[in-house]
DNA sequence: ATGTCACGTCTAACGTGA
């Protein structure tokens, strides 16, 4: 089972990029952020034609999130992050898909620092952390996927000293990510690729893509039961180089169909998962 | 400060957010 997250940066302006990637990558579930379209302008016809059911929470001009599921309809379980009924920004949507709770989130950028946008980011992070604790307490398999607008560590930035005062890298924001993860969530990409430089975003400015001046902003946090099924995690970097690309690349994880141990028999997982060492073969 | 995108608007250069 392949689950992806992709900040599309305008679902209508980049629909051809999205459809081309869906066709190539064939993800089972997709979390999208930055639709930049109101509900009535979500391109459901084209998405369905590509073989996906969808739920979405749009907004004029900014934000907007959606969850797609190949060959099935996601069951919406929540729209909007709890904790502030006055928050009108479309940054959170959650669905039940194939026995998993999938939360799709778009954390506020927070620049400039200091200011009301940064305060909003920190408040939003606290609300997410409170809600994530509730989800963990339910003891159901949960995936928290999306654009967190945080580089968790110095390894996640091409040049950390340049970003020290930016809302994406401020110590209190990194701390907020750490506090959230330490509840018991597994950072999928970092867990499978410790010590590796991995980026998911390259600015449009100053040929950031050409220079590989990237940031790791898009993350998968997995509840313990899901983490036990994790077999692969990657960034579809090439998509960032496509014509009219988003400034983010799609990120995906592969989960085994059953909980461990399967010893490679009976699991109908893809070649991607077969190429990854089995859990019991991995060095501890 | 700059750079480059998308979106929206009093449809053609801006303002805004990232």
């Amino acid at each position: 089972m392949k689950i992806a997250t992709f900040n599309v940066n305008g679902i209508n302006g980049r629909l051809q990029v999205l459809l081309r990637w869906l066709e190539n990558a064939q993800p089972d579930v997709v979390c999208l952020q930055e639709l930049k379209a109101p509900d009535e302008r979500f391109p459901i016809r084209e998405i369905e034609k590509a073989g996906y059911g969808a739920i979405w929470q749009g907004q004029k001009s900014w934000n907007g999130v959606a969850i797609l599921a190949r060959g099935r309809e996601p069951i919406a379980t929540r729209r909007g992050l709890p904790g502030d009924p006055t928050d009108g920004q479309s940054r959170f949507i959650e669905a039940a898909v194939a026995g998993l709770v999938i939360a799709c989130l778009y954390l506020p950028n927070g620049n400039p620092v200091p200011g009301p946008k940064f305060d909003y980011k920190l408040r939003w992070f606290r609300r997410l952390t409170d809600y994530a604790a509730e989800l963990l307490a339910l003891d159901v398999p949960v995936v928290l996927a999306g654009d967190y607008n945080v580089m968790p560590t110095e390894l996640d930035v091409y040049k950390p000293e340049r970003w020290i005062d930016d809302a994406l890298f401020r110590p209190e924001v990194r701390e907020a990510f750490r506090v959230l993860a330490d509840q018991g969530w597994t950072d999928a990409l970092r867990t499978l690729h410790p010590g590796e430089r991995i980026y998911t975003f390259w600015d449009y400015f100053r040929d950031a893509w050409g220079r590989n001046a990237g940031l790791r902003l898009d993350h998968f946090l997995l509840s313990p039961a899901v983490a036990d099924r994790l077999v692969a995690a990657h960034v579809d970097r090439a998509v960032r180089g496509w014509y009219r690309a988003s400034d983010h690349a799609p990120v995906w994880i592969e989960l085994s169909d059953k909980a461990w141990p399967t010893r490679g028999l009976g699991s109908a997982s893809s070649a991607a998962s077969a190429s990854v060492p089995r859990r019991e073969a991995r060095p501890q």
Side-chain angles (χ1 to χ4, degrees), chain A residues 208-254:
Chain A
W209 169 242
R211 297 182 297 121
N212 194 28
L215 309 172
R216 189 170 75 101
L217 302 180
D218 303 274
H219 308 299
F220 282 91
L221 291 184
L222 311 181
S223 72
V226 181
D228 281 347
R229 297 170 54 186
L230 179 65
V231 289
H234 290 287
V235 180
D236 279 340
R237 284 176 56 99
V239 177
R240 179 61 181 83
W242 288 0
Y243 176 65
R244 288 171 66 85
S246 168
D247 41 5
H248 294 250
V251 186
W252 55 269
I253 60 171
E254 173 84 24

Side-chain angles (χ1 to χ4, degrees), chain A residues 100-133:
Chain A
L100 297 169
V101 173
I102 308 281
C104 170
L105 63 101
Y106 175 47
L107 219 128
N109 175 296
N111 279 304
V113 184
K117 290 185 178 179
F118 190 62
D119 297 340
Y120 174 62
K121 178 175 197 168
L122 293 178
R123 283 201 311 277
W124 209 94
F125 227 134
R126 268 180 237 120
R127 287 164 58 199
L128 176 62
T129 303
D130 289 347
Y131 180 59

Side-chain angles (χ1 to χ4, degrees), chain A residues 79-95:
Chain A
R79 292 169 182 275
L81 186 63
D84 182 1
T86 68
D87 183 358
Q89 300 191 24
S90 296
R91 296 181 174 276
F92 188 93
I93 192 166
E94 181 193 282

Side-chain angles (χ1 to χ4, degrees), chain A residues 20-114:
Chain A
R20 179 181 167 194
W21 169 71
L22 286 176
E23 173 74 22
N24 289 352
Q26 295 281 309
D28 296 296
V29 182
V30 184
C31 295
L32 297 176
Q33 303 87 33
E34 282 210 83
L35 304 179
K36 294 186 172 179
D39 282 339
E40 63 273 19
R41 293 213 55 220
F42 185 83
I44 184 61
R45 212 179 296 269
E46 290 86 346
I47 300 278
E48 282 181 344
K49 205 170 152 195
Y52 289 83
I55 61 167
W56 60 95
Q57 188 79 7
Q59 185 181 332
K60 192 165 103 175
S61 303
W62 297 304
N63 311 316
V65 284
I67 298 174
L68 319 185
R70 188 150 58 100
R72 58 209 330 162
E73 293 298 327
I75 313 293
T77 50
R78 193 174 281 278
R79 292 169 182 275
L81 186 63
D84 182 1
T86 68
D87 183 358
Q89 300 191 24
S90 296
R91 296 181 174 276
F92 188 93
I93 192 166
E94 181 193 282
V97 184
L100 297 169
V101 173
I102 308 281
C104 170
L105 63 101
Y106 175 47
L107 219 128
N109 175 296
N111 279 304
V113 184

Side-chain angles (χ1 to χ4, degrees), chain A residues 148-163:
Chain A
Y148 286 69
N149 267 316
V150 185
M151 299 86 94
T153 71
E154 297 203 339
L155 190 57
D156 304 311
V157 198
Y158 66 98
K159 198 173 275 196
E161 63 276 15
R162 281 269 178 89
W163 289 85

